[in-house]
Amino acid sequence: NSERLITKALWNESGEISLNLCRKAMNSSIYVPNSDFAKLFPDSSRFDIIEWINLPCTTIDAVTKNSGLQFDAIKLDIQGSELNALIGAEKSLTSVLAIEVEVEFYELYRNQPLFDDVFSFLKSHDFDLIDLIFLYRWSARKITGLGQLIFSDALFMRPPEKIASMGTESEIRKYASICVIYRRGDLLARLASALERFNGHSKLTNTISEIGIAIEKQNLRALKFYNLASKVIQVINPYARAHMTH
C-alpha cells in the first residue's frame, strides 16, 4: 500500500488549531482571509468565513518519526500555511530532494507568509528555486487568467551538483526521476556533468545524460511552437506576451 491518509492538519507544532471554513471550501485556511484584498476582485464572497472548526494538528517531522518513513519530495497547497508546515519539517528536510509549494505574492490571508519568506527559508536549507510552474492572475472584472500575478506554484530542488557529489546512487536515481517528472532536462544535464566530474564515466551517468538530452529536445520543440503562436498573437496585440506563460 503506497498511500497513507493522516486525518490531521499540518502545522509547525502538534496540538489543536482552528480552521476558518470559507463559503468556497477550497479557500478555507488556518489564516483569516484578507477581505480588503479579496474585494478588489470578483466573487470576493467566496472568502467569507461561514464556520470555525478545531482540528488536531501535527508536524511533518512527527509524521516522519511515527511512520518510520522518509520523504523524497513534498507537495504543499494549504492556503497560506505552507511555511508553517515547512518549519515543522526541519529534520525531515534533510532527506527531501524536491518541494512543490504554493506561494502568494500578496496577502490573500491576513499576516500569512509570502513568497519571499518561503524562498528565504528554503534557501537557508540548501534548496534552489527552479521555476514558477503555474502562475495565477486575477483581474478586477472577471477571473480569466489575465491580470495581476497573485500566487504561483513554485518548484524548489536541491542543486544537482550537491546530489552528484554527496548523494548515494539511490538518491541520484530518485533525483533524476523527479527531474523527469517535471521535465527538467536542464537539471539532468547538470547532474550528468557533475557525476562525470566527480565519478568519471558510468552507465548511470550516460543514461541520465541521454534522458536529459531527449527531454530538452522535446521542450525545445514545444517552445518553438509557443514562440510561433506568441508572434502571431502579438501581431494583433503587441503586448500580449506579458500575459502569456508556458
Side-chain angles (χ1 to χ4, degrees), residues 142-162:
K142 187 178 181 181
I143 304 297
T144 61
L146 301 177
Q148 183 176 358
L149 178 61
I150 305 296
F151 62 99
S152 176
D153 293 333
L155 176 63
F156 292 84
M157 293 184 67
R158 299 288 185 188
E161 293 76 16
K162 183 172 183 177

Side-chain angles (χ1 to χ4, degrees), residues 18-19 35 60-61 78 88 120 209 240:
S18 179
L19 177 68
S35 58
I60 293 176
D61 281 342
I78 47 178
S120 297
S209 178

Side-chain angles (χ1 to χ4, degrees), residues 46-236:
R46 69 190 188 277
F47 284 96
D48 290 348
I49 298 173
I50 59 173
E51 190 181 354
W52 296 267
I53 60 172
N54 290 327
L55 293 175
C57 61
T58 189
T59 66
I60 293 176
D61 281 342
V63 171
T64 301
K65 181 178 179 181
N66 294 336
S67 66
L69 300 174
Q70 288 187 322
F71 298 110
D72 302 314
I74 293 175
K75 182 175 181 178
L76 293 171
D77 180 355
I78 47 178
Q79 302 307 110
S81 303
E82 291 82 5
L83 180 59
N84 299 92
L86 290 169
I87 290 172
E90 292 240 26
K91 296 178 181 177
S92 306
L93 287 179
T94 57
S95 70
V96 174
L97 304 173
I99 299 173
E100 182 182 332
V101 56
E102 185 178 88
V103 292
E104 280 80 31
F105 302 103
Y106 297 91
E107 287 190 12
L108 296 182
Y109 303 91
R110 296 190 184 280
N111 301 314
Q112 69 161 104
L114 297 177
F115 167 77
D116 53 333
D117 302 304
V118 175
F119 175 88
S120 297
F121 177 83
L122 289 177
K123 190 67 178 175
S124 72
H125 286 77
D126 297 322
F127 286 91
D128 284 350
L129 173 64
I130 302 303
D131 209 348
L132 301 177
I133 53 180
F134 292 104
L135 303 178
Y136 299 88
R137 296 182 170 97
W138 291 357
S139 55
R141 292 188 178 88
K142 187 178 181 181
I143 304 297
T144 61
L146 301 177
Q148 183 176 358
L149 178 61
I150 305 296
F151 62 99
S152 176
D153 293 333
L155 176 63
F156 292 84
M157 293 184 67
R158 299 288 185 188
E161 293 76 16
K162 183 172 183 177
I163 300 300
S165 64
M166 300 178 63
T168 63
E169 181 173 332
S170 174
E171 288 171 331
I172 292 168
R173 290 179 179 274
K174 290 175 181 178
Y175 187 89
S177 298
I178 294 170
C179 290
V180 171
I181 291 170
Y182 284 101
R183 313 307 292 168
R184 301 306 311 198
D186 57 323
L187 294 185
L188 289 171
R190 286 173 56 186
L191 179 62
S193 177
L195 284 170
E196 185 173 343
R197 202 160 58 245
F198 292 122
N199 304 318
H201 289 287
S202 71
K203 183 178 180 180
L204 177 60
T205 299
N206 291 338
T207 300
I208 290 172
S209 178
E210 290 169 2
I211 294 173
I213 290 170
I215 290 175
E216 286 189 308
K217 286 181 178 178
Q218 292 171 358
N219 291 344
L220 184 57
R221 283 197 297 268
L223 181 61
K224 287 179 179 178
F225 283 115
Y226 166 80
N227 285 334
L228 178 60
S230 176
K231 289 176 181 177
V232 172
I233 292 170
Q234 287 179 80
V235 171
I236 303 170

